[in-house]
Amino acid sequence: MTAAFFNMNRSPWWWVPTLYFFEGIPYFLVNSISVLLFAKMGVPNDDLSFFTTLLYFPWFLKFLWSPFVEVFKTKRWWIITTQLVLAVLCVLLVITLPHPDATLIQTKGTSIEMFKFTLILFILSAFASATHDIAADGFYLLAHNQTSQAAFVGIRSTFYRIASVFSQGILVYIAGTIENQTENIPLSWQVTIAITAILLFFFGIYHYFVLPKCEDTPTTSDIDNSVIWKELCNSFISFFTKPGIVLAICFMLLYRLSEGFLVKLCPAFLVDARQTSIVNGQIFGGGLGMSTSVYGLLYGTIGVICLLTGGIMGGLVIAHKGLKRSIWGMALALTLPSFVYVYLSYFQPTSLWVIGSAIGFEQLGYGYGFTAYMMYMIHVSDGKYKTSHYAICTAFMALSMMIPGFIAGKIELTWGYNTFFWIANACSITTFIVTYYAYKQLK
């Protein structure tokens, strides 16, 4: 029986779903849950948006060290190691998470200085998670043949999406339930991250036994490093000398500009107090006063499901009509639904049906419109160095969210949520400008 357990590598069903479910959890913990955590801890929006935006950097830069993951050790080794490292980092987050005073939390007066070590642990988690992504995707290509890869591509995508709902919905709902019962916000997040740590540790041990030992690159002994670096340089040069590459970079940076502003402060807006107050010239409050558990239900679960549904719909439309014929409709779907936040900020409705419908509508449109962005990156990456060029495109994708994220909080504290959402939506003009030129470029 034990021997049979250790021989579970006979089918990708044993490891593909769990591998990609795992891949999603630390990503959403670092990039989504961290924003809500700091908002609930009373960190002002300018510090919140700036420092959580820094956490994108590992995904922006991961193409720089991806060759080392290819060369040193095996991808199986990288996967298991990073999974266990992520579990340890979550344990450290639990142990060291600060407990701000309740008054500071209520007045959003918590200094980001209190969370220095927390930010360091999040950054280390981001690097480990980005490295895990590199190894997992490479391992997927090695561990089974092309027929099997095609058969399981939908499975890996599905379980990554399930991880999105689990992380942003269920984990956040758990934090909210504990908060409601104990009225202790820091404790609620400590327990939630502790649950995450146990889950990550379990998957790390599980994958140690079930991941197949396929042919891989164990050391640099059989590899000519000069050839690797030459190919790496060639891939960079060939990318930046592609015809129309300046337009392509502009598209990748500006197509989602308005969404880059919105996504950074939507969690804070939904949970911030409804009453507006001005302290030292900065505007606090004016949100919807949503509890953490309701946030997990509406934004983390219903919103994410709508986002994924929009993505599936967009993929079907592009498969049927092609990118050129679909891109204008997707640009409109990306931009117009985001005006619901202007409505929400002005009228501050209390009905969860109204708020949930607005969130779902906006996320559905974003998921549908974002499909054009993903397909455009595939279009730009086409050629000899397809994998390397796509990695560079994903770096620009991360940068497109970082640029607005750095200044979003400062804008909101200066002018309030009403004006902030108008400014964010006004940036939609860039979406239509770059879409116009991309449409002319596409065949």
Side-chain angles (χ1 to χ4, degrees):
M1 176 123 179
T2 304
F5 180 81
F6 291 146
N7 193 37
M8 287 193 293
N9 60 356
R10 62 185 179 274
S11 170
W13 277 107
W14 286 105
W15 56 271
V16 170
T18 55
L19 181 63
Y20 282 91
F21 179 78
F22 182 104
E23 182 174 301
I25 293 175
Y27 176 85
F28 295 111
L29 173 66
V30 171
N31 290 308
S32 298
I33 296 179
S34 67
V35 178
L36 181 62
L37 184 153
F38 287 125
K40 293 296 295 185
M41 291 287 196
V43 176
N45 284 349
D46 54 348
D47 286 338
L48 178 152
S49 66
F50 182 85
F51 285 99
T52 57
T53 297
L54 289 176
L55 301 178
Y56 276 109
F57 262 111
W59 284 277
F60 170 55
L61 298 173
K62 71 178 183 178
F63 67 92
L64 294 178
W65 71 86
S66 59
F68 296 98
V69 178
E70 294 282 348
V71 172
F72 295 102
K73 297 291 186 180
T74 65
K75 294 176 184 63
R76 185 180 186 276
W77 181 90
W78 281 108
I79 289 170
I80 295 167
T81 300
T82 52
Q83 289 185 353
L84 295 178
V85 166
L86 283 162
V88 171
L89 289 170
C90 280
V91 171
L92 293 175
L93 277 168
V94 172
I95 296 171
T96 62
L97 190 68
H99 281 238
D101 183 81
T103 304
L104 289 176
I105 293 175
Q106 291 174 1
T107 60
K108 289 190 76 72
T110 305
S111 172
I112 195 67
E113 295 285 324
M114 187 179 294
F115 292 92
K116 278 184 178 178
F117 195 63
T118 304
L119 285 168
I120 291 172
L121 291 173
F122 272 132
I123 290 171
L124 292 175
S125 299
F127 275 105
S129 179
T131 304
H132 179 273
D133 293 355
I134 297 167
D137 291 342
F139 185 84
Y140 180 85
L141 298 176
L142 286 170
H144 42 187
N145 57 40
Q146 290 186 346
T147 302
S148 181
Q149 289 172 26
F152 278 87
V153 69
I155 301 300
R156 58 181 272 187
S157 176
T158 298
F159 276 86
Y160 187 84
R161 290 167 177 167
I162 292 173
S164 175
V165 176
F166 175 81
S167 302
Q168 299 179 84
I170 296 175
L171 286 179
V172 172
Y173 184 83
I174 291 172
T177 301
I178 297 169
E179 178 188 331
N180 293 338
Q181 293 176 349
T182 65
E183 298 184 354
N184 189 327
I185 293 174
L187 176 63
S188 70
W189 288 107
Q190 283 182 302
V191 174
T192 302
I193 297 174
I195 293 171
T196 306
I198 293 169
L199 190 64
L200 297 183
F201 181 77
F202 167 79
F203 278 123
I205 298 300
Y206 175 79
H207 288 138
Y208 175 81
F209 291 111
V210 304
L211 287 182
K213 294 183 179 180
C214 55
E215 292 199 14
D216 206 337
T217 307
T219 66
T220 58
S221 58
D222 299 324
I223 299 175
D224 187 342
N225 288 326
S226 64
V227 172
I228 293 175
W229 285 108
K230 182 179 178 180
E231 286 296 291
L232 184 62
C233 291
N234 286 341
S235 69
F236 270 94
I237 294 170
S238 62
F239 179 85
F240 289 102
T241 55
K242 280 177 174 278
I245 192 60
V246 174
L247 168 63
I249 292 173
C250 288
F251 183 91
M252 288 184 284
L253 290 178
L254 299 176
Y255 179 75
R256 297 193 299 162
L257 183 60
S258 64
E259 190 66 27
F261 282 105
L262 292 174
V263 75
K264 184 52 63 177
L265 286 188
C266 279
F269 166 69
L270 293 173
V271 300
D272 269 358
R274 289 177 170 269
Q275 295 77 19
T276 302
S277 60
I278 300 177
V279 180
N280 296 327
Q282 295 186 326
I283 301 176
F284 295 93
L288 296 185
M290 191 180 290
S291 69
T292 305
S293 55
V294 172
Y295 173 94
L297 176 64
L298 295 187
Y299 192 83
T301 303
I302 295 174
V304 171
I305 291 173
C306 288
L307 174 71
L308 301 177
T309 302
I312 294 170
M313 291 168 54
L316 293 174
V317 170
I318 289 180
H320 177 66
K321 297 173 62 176
L323 178 57
K324 186 178 178 72
R325 293 174 60 195
S326 308
I327 194 168
W328 274 113
M330 291 185 171
L332 289 169
L334 184 81
T335 54
L336 296 184
S338 60
F339 278 92
V340 298
Y341 281 102
V342 174
Y343 164 79
L344 292 175
S345 67
Y346 269 95
F347 294 98
Q348 295 180 291
T350 57
S351 169
L352 296 184
W353 286 101
V354 173
I355 298 171
S357 298
I359 291 171
F361 178 61
E362 191 273 332
Q363 289 290 283
L364 183 71
Y366 175 57
Y368 184 76
F370 182 63
T371 313
Y373 188 92
M374 298 297 292
M375 290 305 300
Y376 187 82
M377 289 199 302
I378 293 172
H379 167 77
V380 172
S381 305
D382 195 31
K384 178 182 178 182
Y385 298 101
K386 185 178 297 185
T387 302
S388 297
H389 287 181
Y390 190 79
I392 296 172
C393 286
T394 60
F396 282 111
M397 178 174 69
L399 185 61
S400 73
M401 302 303 282
M402 292 171 65
I403 293 171
F406 281 127
I407 61 174
K410 190 64 178 176
I411 293 173
E412 188 281 319
L413 282 181
T414 303
W415 288 295
Y417 281 118
N418 299 149
T419 304
F420 168 78
F421 286 125
W422 275 115
I423 293 172
N425 281 283
C427 291
S428 298
I429 189 65
T430 64
T431 302
F432 297 117
I433 292 172
V434 296
T435 299
Y436 170 77
Y437 286 104
Y439 177 82
K440 293 179 65 176
Q441 181 193 55
L442 292 169
K443 297 179 181 179

